[in-house]
Amino acid sequence: MMPTPKTKPHLFSLKGFFWLCLFELLHSNSGTLSQELRVVVQAGDEARLPCGYKIPRGIPLESYYIYWQKPIHGKPDIVVISYKNGKEVELEKDPSYKNRSKLDEQNLTLSISSVTVNDSGKYSCVAILKSDAKETFTHLSVIVPFSTPIILNNLSSERCDPTNLTLMCFSHGGSSKPKMYGSINENPVNWTVTSNQRFGHFNITGILQFNMTENILIRCSVHYLDFQVSTNYSLNMTKNCSEPRTELPPLPPLPPFGIIISSTVILIFVLAVVMLVILQCYVHKHSRSSTTHQSLATDEMILEEQSSGKTSSGLGRSPP
């Protein structure tokens, strides 16, 4: 006698009856696989979940009913993708995976794009051929990545002489416990690390102190699970401290302040004289023009008077 699964009354519909039969088939069939794979990806990336089952040669995909689902405790399983008769059945897909999930028809690998932390969990791949069913499980872990490390130092500028150097490397935001590694000029160094967690996210800070005697290339790496973020930082000393520095030729000395004032006064005086000469010439020219006009007017008046006198004397005579 087959065990009766725990179901709610409202599931006894056509769709509920189908899933019930499928449940019975999976959990009563001796051919069911029990292996579990693990996949870890960063938030925002694409997750590829292998099915662990390959369709035998000679059997077409159309002969199988294939689906991926995500079991949820206390709730019906979420259908991520399903195939019937060699075609995807969009109506059975959960809305949260619309336009995000696809199936590799060759090896049944499930791809989920733009994953978030909410996509973490166990997924099952089911391949059904008539009365035979195969089921495998894959656990997906979605982690939040750490920020690119930032390196700071206590020097305000390049130095020529050896000096004590303090470096700090800082990264934050990851959702898993981190570790920090580093090197100076390809030689490994150990950071003094402090790490803390707040609201589910980790911060990590490393401190390094040493005596700087040459140009250095510092590398700081933050490792978390199978991932890492790193940064490089270079700090140079002044070239060839023992050699004299090449200096630019000195600028010619500026003239004394008194000479500058005297030159300025003379220049102003010369400009004033020139302006005065120009003004005097203009006034003189204007005066001559006025005098000419006045003399012409006087001559005309004299001629008119003479003409008037002759006319008057002619009129006063009596005829002989």
Side-chain angles (χ1 to χ4, degrees), residues 22-55:
L22 189 60
F23 177 87
E24 293 287 356
L25 178 62
L26 289 174
H27 292 274
S28 61
N29 194 296
S30 60
T32 301
L33 302 177
S34 59
Q35 68 183 71
E36 181 174 334
L37 305 175
R38 299 189 68 86
V39 174
V40 181
V41 297
Q42 297 187 109
D45 292 345
E46 180 184 57
R48 292 180 57 83
L49 281 59
C51 179
Y53 173 76
K54 293 183 179 181
I55 297 177

Side-chain angles (χ1 to χ4, degrees), residues 291-310:
T291 304
T292 304
H293 286 296
Q294 289 178 0
S295 62
L296 291 174
T298 304
D299 294 341
E300 289 178 356
M301 291 175 64
I302 293 172
L303 291 174
E304 288 180 0
E305 289 179 358
Q306 291 178 355
S307 175
S308 298
K310 289 180 180 181

Side-chain angles (χ1 to χ4, degrees), residues 95-112:
S96 62
Y97 291 95
K98 289 285 186 181
N99 301 321
R100 291 205 305 137
S101 63
K102 60 182 180 180
L103 184 71
D104 188 330
E105 298 180 359
Q106 299 297 324
N107 53 24
L108 308 183
T109 296
L110 171 68
S111 297
I112 306 174

Side-chain angles (χ1 to χ4, degrees), residues 252-269:
L254 295 175
F257 187 69
I259 296 178
I260 296 176
I261 295 178
S262 302
S263 302
T264 304
V265 172
I266 294 173
L267 180 61
I268 294 174
F269 177 76

